Amino acid sequence: MITFMTCSMAGHAQDLSIAMTGDVMMGTTFPSIMLPAHEGRDLFKDAKDILSAADLTVGNLEGAICDGGTCTKGTGPNSYAFRTPTSYGHLLSEAGFDFMSMANNHANDFGLEGIESTEEVLKSQGILFSGIDGRIESAVIERNGLTIGLCAFGHNSYTIKHLDLTTVGRIVDDLVRRCDLVIVSFHGGAEGKSRRRLPFGPETFLGENRGSLRQLAHFCIDHGADVVYGHGPHVVRGVEVYKDRFIAYSLGNFCTPYNVNLTGISGYAPIVEITIDKDGAFKHGKIHSFIQTRGIGPRTDKTKSVAHEMKNLSEIDLPQSQAVIDLNGNIELKK
């Protein structure tokens, strides 16, 4: 077992605020150069205040952060590879990210060279990570006097697979023993605008088992996890509070300015911010609505259409949730 740990000298507090996002891929140099203006300095300008204000900010890093490597992907219509320049790494820490999942189907786009480069860039920025099989499988950070364990699971061969519940249980159990709070990330589910609904049972996409996500999330909570957040479908899905613990089933695309479909609901880019108590119980939260435009990054959605979408999906797919969402995106426990 390999664990990555960092500490903070913050004083003890009763609550912890967590900001969560979906996929982040800040630009790519493959197959051609597709990078935002001003070396990406404006990508997070609308979102930075929220991301930086939270005690802990987490997301999913789509693709490799590297300057070389050989692409591992094919050339078919469903094959995409992402390579973000190493010079962009500082943008993640400056935006406020503390942890990034690498357990997704793009972390290996440029092989071991890309994985190692990504890890070095994240380390240099003080950002924790996990999710690649045989490498760092969990991370531990201290915030507000609380020790927080983080882990990430994916669906494809080089990730720590969420289909293997024995391994998932072992890693979560280990963190629960060692930490005050545990946060689990997963990359799973079928992709596309037609997959906004959360099904029961396993999902398949391009012939691949992408997991039974209700089962996975509840399994993690049942083993002692306090927060579970997901990504992978490239659209948002509903959220729920289960056994007093918060679950987001898909946070969609957050900052993916190129080579990702951003039309309509695919451009919905929420930040979900929650507050939990020192024991992990959900207290309240808010869906902050952002929408992406090609080459720009997430921008404030004054119509709150993203929050409305997540509210509707939560009510339809997760009526048993202990929480309700209002039209402004506020998430509160049911009375």
Side-chain angles (χ1 to χ4, degrees), residues 73 102-109 131-133 153-163 187-188 208-210:
K73 293 291 182 68
M102 290 180 63
N104 58 65
N105 53 319
H106 288 286
N108 192 48
D109 282 357
I132 303 298
D133 190 29
F153 304 103
H155 54 72
N156 51 315
S157 61
Y158 56 84
T159 66
I160 305 173
K161 289 179 283 297
H162 55 61
L163 300 173
H187 200 73
E208 183 179 40
N209 186 345
R210 295 289 183 91

Side-chain angles (χ1 to χ4, degrees), residues 4 37 52 55 87 99 103 152 159 179 215 219 226 252 263 275 287 289 299 309 316:
F4 189 19
S52 299
D55 296 321
S87 61
F99 172 85
T159 66
C179 302
Q215 178 191 16
F219 177 88
D226 300 292
T263 62
T275 297
I287 300 166
S289 295
R299 293 294 179 262
E309 169 82 351
I316 295 169

Side-chain angles (χ1 to χ4, degrees), residues 110-126:
F110 289 85
L112 181 59
E113 180 177 343
I115 289 172
E116 291 178 340
S117 175
T118 303
E119 292 178 345
E120 288 305 310
V121 169
L122 293 176
K123 285 179 183 177
S124 75
Q125 296 300 318

Side-chain angles (χ1 to χ4, degrees), residues 89-147:
H90 70 99
L91 300 175
L92 295 174
S93 57
E94 291 170 4
F97 284 100
D98 299 296
F99 172 85
M100 300 298 282
S101 166
M102 290 180 63
N104 58 65
N105 53 319
H106 288 286
N108 192 48
D109 282 357
F110 289 85
L112 181 59
E113 180 177 343
I115 289 172
E116 291 178 340
S117 175
T118 303
E119 292 178 345
E120 288 305 310
V121 169
L122 293 176
K123 285 179 183 177
S124 75
Q125 296 300 318
I127 298 173
L128 303 176
F129 56 88
S130 70
I132 303 298
D133 190 29
R135 302 185 70 83
I136 292 174
E137 70 176 19
S138 66
V140 178
I141 192 169
E142 187 176 310
R143 286 288 187 273
N144 297 355
L146 299 167
T147 303

Side-chain angles (χ1 to χ4, degrees), residues 159-314:
T159 66
I160 305 173
K161 289 179 283 297
H162 55 61
L163 300 173
D164 179 3
L165 291 181
T166 299
T167 297
V168 172
R170 175 184 63 77
I171 293 172
V172 172
D173 289 347
D174 172 67
L175 289 175
V176 168
R177 282 192 298 269
R178 297 191 289 124
C179 302
D180 299 310
L181 301 169
V182 174
I183 300 172
V184 176
S185 168
F186 69 81
H187 200 73
E191 300 180 19
K193 293 178 182 178
S194 64
R195 308 305 177 98
R196 54 203 280 270
R197 298 290 304 278
L198 177 68
F200 289 91
E203 299 182 57
T204 59
F205 186 71
L206 300 177
E208 183 179 40
N209 186 345
R210 295 289 183 91
S212 179
L213 303 182
R214 293 176 190 257
Q215 178 191 16
L216 171 67
H218 288 188
F219 177 88
C220 292
I221 300 297
D222 291 343
H223 273 252
D226 300 292
V227 177
V228 179
Y229 74 99
H231 31 81
H234 296 292
V235 288
V236 298
R237 287 180 170 180
V239 305
E240 73 169 328
V241 174
Y242 165 77
K243 294 186 176 179
D244 300 322
R245 268 54 183 172
F246 183 82
I247 302 169
Y249 284 96
S250 177
L251 296 173
N253 303 313
F254 179 61
C255 183
T256 53
Y258 296 101
N259 262 18
V260 174
N261 182 357
L262 299 178
T263 62
I265 60 174
S266 298
Y268 286 7
I271 299 173
V272 175
E273 182 184 15
I274 65 170
T275 297
I276 61 177
D277 69 20
K278 63 183 178 61
D279 297 314
F282 174 83
K283 296 186 72 174
H284 54 81
K286 186 174 181 64
I287 300 166
H288 298 275
S289 295
F290 295 85
I291 291 180
Q292 287 201 76
T293 303
R294 176 180 166 83
I296 302 298
R299 293 294 179 262
T300 302
D301 167 28
K302 294 181 180 179
T303 70
K304 298 182 173 62
S305 56
V306 183
H308 296 171
E309 169 82 351
M310 296 183 73
K311 167 183 165 63
N312 291 337
L313 291 172
S314 301

